[in-house]
Amino acid sequence: MWTNNRLVLASGNKGKLREFSKLFSDFGTEVIPQTDLHIDSPEETGLSFIENALLKARHASAVTKLPALADDSGLVIPALDGAPGLYSARFAGSNASDEDNLKLLLDRMNALRGDDRKGHYICALALVRHSTDPDPIVVIGRWHGQIIDAPRGDGGFGYDPIFLPDGLKETAAELDSETKNQISHRGLAVIELRSLLR
């Protein structure tokens, strides 16, 4: 059973902090973003979402001496050879906004139709009890859907306004946060993580 009352989130992303704080609230765990502790992110040199999540978690734990949770997530479009993939947050450049990234993806997918518009969000979560934890908890969640032609909705963040989950009529940005937390890639990963922590 998870008994730590403080956990460093190896991210400064406000959207992720909101989601993780809600998802960990009933453990009585305070989720502290690394930016509040003035920790810079390490260079993401991994070749997979899992590798990058572990790099970030170990770094945050080494600096704070606290357990750390890192999320590496992104949108994978098979028709674009997996892009934006590991570069989802900086698809249009290192200082790009969510809107810049979304616009570039729509431009790249302009000529794609049917199954070529399929994609999935992926979330790799890595939880380390300490920086050299030899047995980190690693879980993966995937959320399948397709990319629509124009943004809809003002919730969520990232590519949510153009991501239409399989079986739904609302984009990820049109879903209320409670629904999204139950069915999203991050929500599914956290559900699995929580079951392991219990």
Side-chain angles (χ1 to χ4, degrees), residues 10-11 19 24 31 107 113 141 150 156 159 168 173:
S11 174
E19 291 182 5
F24 271 91
V31 181
D107 288 346
R113 296 290 174 263
Y159 300 93
L168 296 182

Side-chain angles (χ1 to χ4, degrees), residues 19-103:
E19 291 182 5
F20 282 122
S21 292
K22 283 181 188 173
L23 291 160
F24 271 91
S25 61
D26 65 334
F27 277 101
T29 298
E30 179 189 7
V31 181
I32 308 158
Q34 68 180 15
T35 48
D36 283 8
L37 303 172
H38 310 292
I39 301 169
D40 292 325
S41 293
E43 188 178 352
E44 294 180 26
T45 56
L47 299 178
S48 69
F49 292 101
I50 292 172
E51 290 174 280
N52 282 340
L54 277 168
L55 278 170
K56 292 188 280 189
R58 290 191 190 285
H59 175 74
S61 184
V63 175
T64 64
K65 310 298 185 227
L66 290 169
L69 174 70
D71 154 297
D72 200 50
S73 54
L75 181 64
V76 174
I77 309 295
L80 297 179
D81 295 327
L86 293 175
Y87 306 99
S88 292
R90 51 193 185 278
F91 190 45
S94 56
N95 295 315
S97 66
D98 283 354
E99 193 175 320
D100 295 333
N101 291 328
L102 190 149
K103 184 179 182 310

Side-chain angles (χ1 to χ4, degrees), residues 89-158:
R90 51 193 185 278
F91 190 45
S94 56
N95 295 315
S97 66
D98 283 354
E99 193 175 320
D100 295 333
N101 291 328
L102 190 149
K103 184 179 182 310
L104 178 59
L105 181 60
L106 286 178
D107 288 346
R108 294 261 176 97
M109 296 188 72
N110 189 41
L112 300 180
R113 296 290 174 263
D115 285 352
D116 284 345
R117 295 193 74 84
K118 286 185 176 182
H120 61 275
Y121 272 124
I122 183 169
C123 171
L125 289 182
L127 178 66
V128 296
R129 295 160 193 85
H130 53 84
S131 64
T132 58
D133 191 343
D135 187 23
I137 298 174
V138 177
V139 296
I140 292 180
R142 289 182 179 86
W143 196 18
H144 295 271
Q146 64 177 318
I147 305 305
I148 60 173
D149 293 324
R152 287 190 351 224
D154 54 10
F157 59 96

